[in-house]
Amino acid sequence: MPYIDSYYADNRISIAPFAALTEHIQADVCVVGAGLAGLTAARELAAAGKSVCLLEAHDIGWGASGRNGGFVSDGYAEGMGALEKKLGRDHAKALFALSQEGTQYVKDRMAGFAIPQLPMGRNWLSVVRHDVGDDMLRHAAQMNTEYGANYEARSTEEVRASLKSDSYFQGLEDGNAIHIQPLNYALGLADDARAQGAQIFVQSPATDLQKLRNGFELTTSNGSRINCGQVILCGSAYMHHLYPRIEGAVLPVATYVVTSAKRPDLLENAITYRGCISDNRRAGDYYRLVDEGQRLLWGGRITTQRSEPKKLATLLKNDIAKIYPQLSELEIEYAWSGLMGYCVHKMPVLRELEPGLWTATATGGHGLNTTATIGKVVAEAVAGTSDRYQLFAPFKAQWGGGLLGRLGTQMSYWAMQAQDRWDERR
Ligand SMILES: Cc1cc2nc3c(=O)[nH]c(=O)nc-3n(C[C@H](O)[C@H](O)[C@H](O)COP(=O)(O)OP(=O)(O)OC[C@H]3O[C@@H](n4cnc5c(N)ncnc54)[C@H](O)[C@@H]3O)c2cc1C
């Protein structure tokens, strides 16, 4: 399938094309899925001298990796407080340090790509929609002291000076975060992986995976085959009928993004902040100015329904106007959806499922640094150069409950959204 119609696809860089697999080949490792997890793993393995091939069903970054909000920041989809409670402080700190490595990995790779306008801005301001007093100050101090984060609390006055909305109160600014054009990052990474020696095949869905006496055989939809010693599954929420245990564990959760027409005149009366912005509700809004401040790229809403709402653009246009009434005339030029892969514990699944068969997936809504982290760490595991993957051992590929699980998750989203509305009303 071609890229969906999005602001990113319309502004993607051009690189030498990749072809479909049409023959029988051999490799040390085969990676399934050219999202950022698979691309990072393939790039790192090739750089370590392994023969690697990567199979992608559609095109580079066709899934969540080429459709997301573009926020790159430390941490995981699960909060550090919950991780500390579950694993203890030392383990949680080691995981946070790995997540910082993921953010740094993206920055380092981008520095070498020379792709114009790939980094689109710095810092992330997370704001609240009800008064939380000194909570932000305390949280920033704790994260900076105990985890080495780079957070700064912002008062309501400071927040409203750059986000001209009465809906917002205090904020927390992450000085390590950046925002990027994610599809161009994926394309740059694919080009880099190819330069390191990885063989990448697009329009080549893996349709069958067989265990052989010495390794594995993957077959693609046109009957081409790959024999390899090890496999890494990185298909996230888009993988079907290849390895049911992982597909049953990774719950697809949809979220939506729109991009406005160029209206710098309207936007400058609403948003002067040049970093990325989100509110901290359970299914909050996330947005930023792109195209040199001329357009607003706005994301929000989550649901376990795969089908796209009919009037998606209008729905999000109304969400924007609720926060910024001065933007009610802003026209929407692009509207799209994407699927995030969540496991019930909200942490990535990085493990050896059976000897030689690995997965690095389920990064949820916090995937831009996490795919770099797990891609790098799974490559180290497969190459036998580190056992850092053990830090993710507590997060198993737990079955998500099938249809009932999706229904339960949807109900818990509704409950969380009701709680958010209640907090704001209070
Ligand atoms: C709308 C949206 C907004 C988001 N915003 C942010 C954000 O601002 N910041 C952030 O950190 N995270 C964000 N995320 C989450 C982030 O995008 C994801 O966590 C991350 O991109 C997942 O990468 P991945 O490589 O695991 O999966 P994907 O990018 O989904 O890639 C999986 C790939 O595998 C391929 N595939 C599947 N099955 C097969 C098969 N059998 N054979 C071959 N190929 C196969 C698919 O075609 C797909 O290309 C957002 C997600 C969405 C959807």
Side-chain angles (χ1 to χ4, degrees), residues 32-38 55-73 124 204-207 234-240 242 253 255-257 286 336-341 360-369 371 374:
V32 176
L36 291 173
L55 293 178
E56 165 54 44
H58 303 285
D59 218 326
I60 304 300
W62 177 91
S65 297
R67 309 176 182 208
N68 56 66
F71 297 22
V72 188
S73 66
W124 175 347
S204 301
T207 49
C234 299
S236 189
Y238 291 95
M239 200 169 85
H240 311 287
L242 186 66
V253 174
T255 173
Y256 310 113
V257 181
Y286 49 96
W336 67 91
S337 63
L339 292 179
M340 309 178 279
T361 196
T363 50
H366 202 291
L368 290 192
N369 72 319
T371 47
I374 61 172

